[in-house]
Amino acid sequence: MSGFEKPDDFLQAGGRAMRSVQLALLGAALVAATPAAAAENFLGSTLNAQYYFPNTGSPFSDSENFVVTDPGVELTTFPNGDPRTNIDFTANSILVSYLSTGTWSSTAFNGFIIRDLSNNLAAITSVSIDPSSNFAGFGANRLTFDANSIAVNWQGLSFSPSTTLRLNVGFGSAVPEPSTWAMMLLGFGAIGFAARRRRQRPQLARAAA
């Protein structure tokens, strides 16, 4: 005889097993669908560079979108309307190299803003001036940033072809969105529920030999 007292026992056991498998598969799928952690460096990210003059409400030239690769200089003869610099991005830095001699006009804002377009960067948590920089008069008060952008304001400063400015950029660890937490909890909960059902399933009576 089989190990089940009645045919219905076999059907019920099979149904419970199938539901457990389905829940486990659902949980695994939800966990697998969780978005990947945000990148903690520039490499591979799509950024936008926009020059502003005489304030941050007045774009001076066409904006430029680009993907960060290393090696490679992302912005050459920037900005478009007054090509004065090359700007090179690495994983965690921005290097501005000047191409000519001159003095930026003194206004509320004369500089550029970099923004994250791909929305896959971890939050920017720090921007500092590297000691190798030799841009006279450029201090931390000329830098502003938030989680997704960096603004550089060099209004009133003079430069030459030997002038360089390197910025070191720090990124914070990615914090999952609430929807991501919900998906992860639902997935693990489904797996746990399936395992608990298997442990608590009553032992089926054995038929006499």
Side-chain angles (χ1 to χ4, degrees):
M1 295 180 62
S2 71
F4 298 95
E5 293 183 340
K6 296 180 290 188
D8 286 347
D9 290 339
F10 175 77
L11 295 176
Q12 290 172 5
R16 286 194 295 269
M18 181 60 68
R19 285 193 295 272
S20 295
V21 171
Q22 290 172 340
L23 286 170
L25 290 174
L26 172 62
L30 288 172
V31 172
T34 301
E40 295 186 29
N41 60 67
F42 284 125
L43 297 181
S45 297
T46 302
L47 306 180
N48 169 265
Q50 176 66 66
Y51 202 95
Y52 291 92
F53 173 82
N55 53 59
T56 54
S58 303
F60 174 77
S61 61
D62 294 336
S63 65
E64 298 187 40
N65 299 338
F66 56 93
V67 177
V68 177
T69 59
D70 190 24
V73 178
E74 284 72 19
L75 297 172
T76 57
T77 60
F78 177 84
N80 289 331
D82 188 14
R84 301 280 186 167
T85 67
N86 288 338
I87 304 180
D88 181 23
F89 289 74
T90 64
N92 293 88
S93 71
I94 302 170
L95 174 62
V96 180
S97 301
Y98 274 87
L99 305 172
S100 60
T101 299
T103 299
W104 295 111
S105 299
S106 296
T107 59
F109 190 91
N110 193 345
F112 64 91
I113 299 178
I114 300 295
R115 297 183 175 89
D116 173 27
L117 291 185
S118 57
N119 199 33
N120 69 349
L121 280 176
I124 297 170
T125 57
S126 65
V127 181
S128 61
I129 302 170
D130 190 87
S132 64
S133 303
N134 63 3
F135 198 172
F138 193 95
N141 62 319
R142 294 177 176 272
L143 292 171
T144 55
F145 68 92
D146 58 26
N148 299 301
S149 66
I150 300 171
V152 176
N153 184 8
W154 44 42
Q155 63 89 19
L157 299 183
S158 298
F159 51 88
S160 71
S162 63
T163 300
T164 61
L165 171 65
R166 182 183 292 276
L167 304 177
N168 297 321
V169 182
F171 298 91
S173 297
V175 177
E177 297 290 329
S179 59
T180 300
W181 281 115
M183 290 179 66
M184 291 174 64
L185 290 173
L186 181 59
F188 288 124
I191 294 172
F193 178 74
R196 188 167 58 253
R197 285 290 298 273
R198 287 195 298 271
R199 288 195 305 269
Q200 295 176 347
R201 186 171 58 206
Q203 175 126 17
L204 296 172
R206 295 182 178 276

